[in-house]
Structure formats: C-alpha cells, structure tokens
Amino acid sequence: MTANPTLSRRHLLGTAAVLAATTGLPAIAQTKTVLRISTPAVPDAWHAKMWTVFKDALEKTAPGEFDVQINLNASLFKQGAEPTAMARGNLELTSMSAADIAKLVPEFSIFTAGYVLHDPKHQQKVFTGPIGAELFKTVSDKMGVTVLSTCYLGTRQVNLREARTVQTPADLKGIKLRMPGSKDWLFLGNALGATATPLAFGEVYLGLKTGTIDGQDNPLSSVRAAKFYEVTQQIILTSHLVDSLFIAISNKSFDALNAAQKQKVTAAAQAAATYNNDNTVQEEAQLVDFFKKQGLQVTTPDVAAFRKSVLASYQSSDYAKSWPKGLVERVNATQ
Ligand code: KDO
C-alpha cells in the first residue's frame, strides 16, 4: 500500500495535538541538543560500548536535554574523516587517534611513535597532567575541538595470518602489514621492519582472510572484538604502542552549551573513558589465554630489539624535529 503523505501528516499533527492536550506540553517538542557521534569501532569493542555509557550518563544528569546519536562501524564518516566533519559542523563528537591530531598539531606525533608511552597508567598521567593540558590547548586552538577525556585503546601487537619466527624487526622484512591510512601510522609499521600498507579498519578482516595483507597491528581487545583471530594464526607481543583515543567535541557545539551542560558532558565523557579503560585493562590480561584456546600461536619476540630499532627510526626522522625540546624527557619523567 502506498502511504498517503497528506494523511500521514494529518495523523502526525493529530497525534501532536493529543499529546499537547494530555501532557500540557506545547505540540512542538522541546528542542534537544543533538550530539552525533561517529566511530569506526565495531559494536563489541569497549570503545564502542563506552558511548552508551556516555549517552546513559547524560540521560541521567540532563534528562531530555540531549539527543545522543551513536554511529558505529564508520557508518556516518569514514575512519580518520571525523575531525574534518567536526570542523565543518557535520559532526559533534568522536574519539580521535594521536595520528588524527598529528595531522594538524605536528608535535602530537610524539604519541604516534612506538615505545614512548609505557603503560595505561603512564598514559593517563601524561594526558591528565600538565603535558595534556598544554597540548590539548593547542589542539583546541588549531583543530577547533575540545578533548574531554583520554581512552586507553590498548597496547598494539603484531597479528599475522601465517605464523613465522619473529624475534627482531628484521624478521618482519617483506611482511605486508596493514596500518590505518595515514603517514604517521605507516611510519610506525615500517619502523617495525614490515612493509606498511594502508587500509581502513572495516576492510581488515577480509584482507586477512583473502591474503591481500599478511598481517595487521592492533590491541588484543580489538583483535577479539573484530574477530581477527578467526583469520590469523599468530600474535607477536611486540607491545609497540600504548594506544590512545581522545574523546573530543567540536568547540562550536561545546561553546553553545551552558556551564552546567558543559560540566555534564565532560563528566559523561570521563565516565565513558573510565568504563572503556577499566574493561580494556582487565580484558587484556586474559586475552592471551583466549587466543591460545582459539588455536593461535602467541609469541614474545625480543622486545628490547624492537624498542631500540623503532626509537632509532623516530629519532633520525623529521618527526623528532617537530617535538618540542625536552618533551620526550618530560613524558618519560611523568609518574
Ligand atoms: C585501526 O584502524 O587499526 C584502529 O585501531 C586505529 C584507531 O585509532 C581507531 O580508529 C580504531 O582502529 C577503531 O576505533 C576500530 O577499533
């Protein structure tokens, strides 16, 4: 049956009138502030589920004030396109990687470099302390977004479709290692000794299955959530990047909120990050066993050799030149 637009419109208006009569509220619904979120995260990832924590927190602290719309699987904007969408006013919130930020704030590339952050605690100390405050101010000035909280995505490991002996970066020579598609990520993949090849997260499973790539790198939680373990044979615990995601809102949206709303949105983003971080840390400790049960080989390489070689690649690159003098030392000294 074809819908009759006039009838449906009348029906809607009628419903609104009934609602107005029964509730005493005006027929035009109160305008809620729309908060659109876009992320490439798969539904089963902690950093996808955390957005429900964000939404629920706001529903509790500011009932009826916000319309939080969660778009997973890069269904609204493709991976990495979120900051541009926010700058254009097409998106309110996302979780950005350090590589997303480094495109406009070169000094932030320090956090795209392997073996700089030590562990999740160190990561939180760095970003909730003076270094975070200084850098997030620059992020706000240059990108027009406010960072509300820092999430621990997990510690990135190398994951191969065919098992091999890997002790040092030389053993990854010739391996087509998928990395997210920006130059900072590719530099990291090459620094690990592999041949980095760019691919969107959503295409990795098929790439591994069909063999267009030989491997990928991601934290164990992401390997579990995206089911990469179904199409790979080995995880090599290189622990090369303590990876971060920054929950960020466009300044245009944030500035339009009143003081109480700003505080509630910030608290909700912090609750979301805490949920993600606690679950990720807890799960990471159990996943080696899980992958072994799935039939994968989980091997530990010569991590010191990887660290030495990766750090040397960064130190002799243009990246190190863009890092403010003393920042590496300050990051290292943060406790
Ligand atoms: C990935 O593409 O490997 C990556 O882990 C990069 C992160 O910055 C982030 O975009 C993440 O994917 C997605 O959220 C999917 O987990």
Side-chain angles (χ1 to χ4, degrees):
M1 198 176 73
T2 325
N4 179 330
T6 321
L7 262 186
S8 337
R9 194 173 139 70
R10 266 200 217 128
H11 175 74
L12 274 178
L13 289 173
T15 309
V18 171
L19 262 180
T22 52
T23 60
L25 290 172
I28 310 263
Q30 258 192 323
T31 343
K32 291 185 179 185
T33 302
V34 174
L35 297 179
R36 288 164 296 182
I37 296 157
S38 182
T39 167
V42 295
D44 209 19
W46 299 114
H47 66 290
K49 292 182 186 172
M50 75 177 178
W51 287 112
T52 305
V53 173
F54 174 82
K55 184 181 166 105
D56 290 350
L58 276 185
E59 209 39 69
K60 214 166 166 190
T61 57
E65 287 180 49
F66 293 98
D67 175 9
V68 177
Q69 301 174 4
I70 305 169
N71 301 280
L72 306 178
N73 290 321
S75 58
L76 194 56
F77 289 101
K78 67 179 173 62
Q79 184 178 30
E82 304 90 349
T84 312
M86 286 164 87
R88 293 196 176 139
N90 296 330
L91 183 69
E92 285 73 42
L93 279 136
T94 193
S95 52
M96 308 185 295
S97 68
D100 292 331
I101 298 178
K103 284 181 193 157
L104 285 169
V105 182
E107 58 268 43
F108 217 88
S109 64
I110 191 168
F111 302 112
T112 68
Y115 302 107
V116 167
L117 291 172
H118 308 158
D119 55 42
K121 277 205 181 100
H122 183 227
Q123 176 198 49
Q124 287 299 316
K125 291 271 180 202
V126 168
F127 291 117
T128 56
I131 296 176
E134 285 161 36
L135 289 174
F136 294 153
K137 163 93 180 56
T138 313
V139 169
S140 173
D141 294 344
K142 289 200 180 166
M143 297 181 73
V145 304
T146 297
V147 174
L148 300 172
S149 59
T150 301
C151 307
Y152 173 58
L153 182 68
T155 299
R156 296 182 86 93
Q157 317 289 357
V158 171
N159 177 209
L160 299 182
R161 73 188 291 272
E162 279 176 19
R164 57 196 274 144
T165 303
V166 177
Q167 277 302 316
T168 69
D171 300 321
L172 287 177
K173 195 170 171 357
I175 289 288
K176 257 177 132 186
L177 187 69
R178 173 273 169 183
M179 300 297 289
S182 79
K183 73 172 180 37
D184 307 82
W185 284 114
L186 296 174
F187 189 94
L188 177 61
N190 289 325
L192 288 166
T195 304
T197 172
L199 198 65
F201 187 83
E203 291 165 37
V204 175
Y205 186 97
L206 199 61
L208 290 167
K209 196 178 163 123
T210 57
T212 53
I213 50 174
D214 300 321
Q216 64 93 29
D217 89 307
N218 251 297
L220 298 183
S221 285
S222 302
V223 174
R224 194 262 315 146
K227 296 193 164 35
F228 296 153
Y229 61 87
E230 291 180 349
V231 283
T232 53
Q233 291 180 352
Q234 185 184 18
I235 291 173
I236 303 156
L237 298 170
T238 44
S239 298
H240 53 275
L241 184 71
V242 174
D243 205 3
S244 318
L245 281 178
F246 304 93
I247 295 189
I249 183 166
S250 77
N251 285 349
K252 196 166 155 260
S253 321
F254 201 52
D255 293 345
L257 304 178
N258 64 39
Q261 289 176 321
K262 280 185 184 162
Q263 187 272 325
K264 287 169 188 174
V265 167
T266 306
Q270 278 162 0
T274 301
Y275 165 88
N276 166 81
N277 299 355
D278 290 351
N279 280 298
T280 304
V281 167
Q282 203 191 348
E283 189 189 44
E284 238 173 10
Q286 298 160 3
L287 279 175
V288 167
D289 277 350
F290 170 78
F291 292 130
K292 282 184 179 164
K293 282 193 189 118
Q294 298 299 317
L296 271 78
Q297 290 184 31
V298 183
T299 58
T300 306
D302 181 348
V303 177
F306 270 97
R307 178 181 294 114
K308 194 168 168 221
S309 168
V310 167
L311 284 174
S313 298
Y314 279 93
Q315 271 148 13
S316 62
S317 74
D318 283 347
Y319 283 106
K321 290 181 197 141
S322 71
W323 300 342
K325 206 166 177 298
L327 185 57
V328 176
E329 291 75 8
R330 282 177 69 204
V331 169
N332 266 327
T334 302
Q335 285 182 358

